[in-house]
């Protein structure tokens, strides 16, 4: 595969007009390969090789800009800057992909390790762990219902407190204004 990539960019090219379309084509291929990686159809090493080849090609293109006419140099630099931005995006994607794949691989290794440990355990221990897990589940369910009851009790106590405050105010009113007591 490396040979195919090197054949893509012959070493004798010296013109930016010849090199730039090759870099654009490599960006398009990288775009396709990264999509393939998302669906587990491509190989990570292919994308890494293509990205390093794009880096080399962009450096070469950048070194060829001074050979162009002075009025065209700014245009070429802008075009190269756009490709460099796409290259940076691919590089960031590759880093995120490698990190995610590493996490997935670690999860799978841990899972395998636990499954091997479970298979090596005697059956009575597995049963004991299952019973313990069921017991913990029941305890959590009971704790949840106790919390619900406690929350309901607190709500009722708050309501009773407010009612008692109102009644205390009414009783004070009767003591302060005896004429009010006769009306009731």
């Amino acid at each position: 595969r490396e040979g195919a990539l090197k054949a893509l960019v012959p070493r004798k090219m010296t013109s930016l007009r010849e090199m730039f379309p090759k870099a654009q084509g490599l960006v398009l291929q990288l775009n396709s390969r990264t999509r393939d990686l998302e669906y587990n159809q491509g190989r990570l090493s292919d994308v890494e090789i293509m990205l390093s080849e794009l880096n080399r090609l962009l450096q070469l293109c950048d070194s060829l800009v001074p050979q162009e006419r002075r009025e065209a140099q700014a245009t070429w630099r802008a075009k190269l800057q756009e490709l460099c931005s796409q290259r940076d995006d691919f590089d960031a994607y590759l880093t995120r992909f490698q990190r995610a794949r590493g996490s997935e691989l670690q999860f799978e290794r841990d899972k395998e390790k636990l499954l091997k440990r479970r298979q090596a355990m005697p059956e009575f221990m597995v049963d004991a762990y299952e019973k313990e897990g069921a017991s913990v589940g029941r305890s959590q369910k009971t704790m949840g219902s106790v919390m619900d009851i406690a929350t309901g009790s607190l709500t009722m106590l708050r309501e009773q407190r407010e009612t008692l405050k109102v009644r205390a105010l009414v009783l004070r009113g009767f003591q302060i204004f005896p004429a009010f007591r006769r009306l009731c």
Side-chain angles (χ1 to χ4, degrees):
R1 290 191 187 249
E2 284 185 44
L5 288 175
K6 288 184 180 180
L8 181 68
V9 184
R11 298 204 183 269
K12 297 291 181 181
M13 288 188 183
T14 55
S15 169
L16 191 55
R17 285 184 180 78
E18 295 173 357
M19 298 296 284
F20 188 78
K22 299 291 183 187
Q24 285 178 318
L26 199 52
V27 166
L28 291 175
Q29 287 180 354
L30 265 168
N31 195 17
S32 172
R33 293 290 173 98
T34 53
R35 259 188 263 118
D36 289 347
L37 277 180
E38 289 177 11
Y39 299 108
N40 292 327
Q41 295 174 350
R43 291 187 347 193
L44 185 60
S45 60
D46 292 346
V47 175
E48 289 172 333
I49 291 169
M50 291 175 78
L51 191 58
S52 71
E53 188 64 26
L54 180 62
N55 278 329
R56 190 182 72 74
L57 196 56
L58 288 174
Q59 287 174 353
L60 185 60
C61 286
D62 191 49
S63 70
L64 293 174
V65 169
Q67 294 178 4
E68 295 296 319
R69 294 186 331 255
R70 188 170 295 290
E71 55 274 358
Q73 287 181 6
T75 305
W76 282 113
R77 289 200 193 283
K79 289 179 179 181
L80 283 173
Q81 184 60 38
E82 183 180 330
L83 287 183
C84 285
S85 174
Q86 290 176 337
R87 179 214 43 215
D88 294 342
D89 291 344
F90 286 126
D91 194 35
Y93 170 80
L94 195 60
T95 302
R96 284 190 312 269
F97 183 81
Q98 287 171 331
R99 193 175 310 130
R101 180 156 292 172
S103 298
E104 289 172 11
L105 291 175
Q106 182 63 38
F107 176 77
E108 289 298 321
R109 280 192 295 259
D110 291 346
K111 183 179 170 183
E112 282 296 317
K113 189 174 161 185
L114 289 173
L115 286 174
K116 285 180 183 176
R117 192 183 315 164
R118 188 219 180 275
Q119 290 170 351
M121 280 187 201
E123 193 62 36
F124 75 91
M125 285 181 71
V126 174
D127 290 341
Y129 284 134
E130 286 177 8
K131 287 178 184 176
E132 183 180 346
S135 175
V136 168
R138 286 191 305 274
S139 297
Q140 287 175 339
K141 190 183 247 186
T142 303
M143 186 62 158
S145 64
V146 167
M147 291 298 290
D148 291 342
I149 291 169
T151 302
S153 297
L154 279 175
T155 303
M156 285 180 16
L157 288 171
R158 283 188 189 116
E159 290 172 359
Q160 288 176 2
R161 181 181 68 199
E162 292 301 317
T163 303
L164 288 174
K165 282 182 181 178
V166 169
R167 287 187 180 170
L169 285 174
V170 170
L171 284 176
R172 270 195 230 138
F174 280 131
Q175 291 171 355
I176 295 174
F177 301 108
F180 184 70
R181 206 177 325 158
R182 281 186 239 141
L183 293 174
C184 296

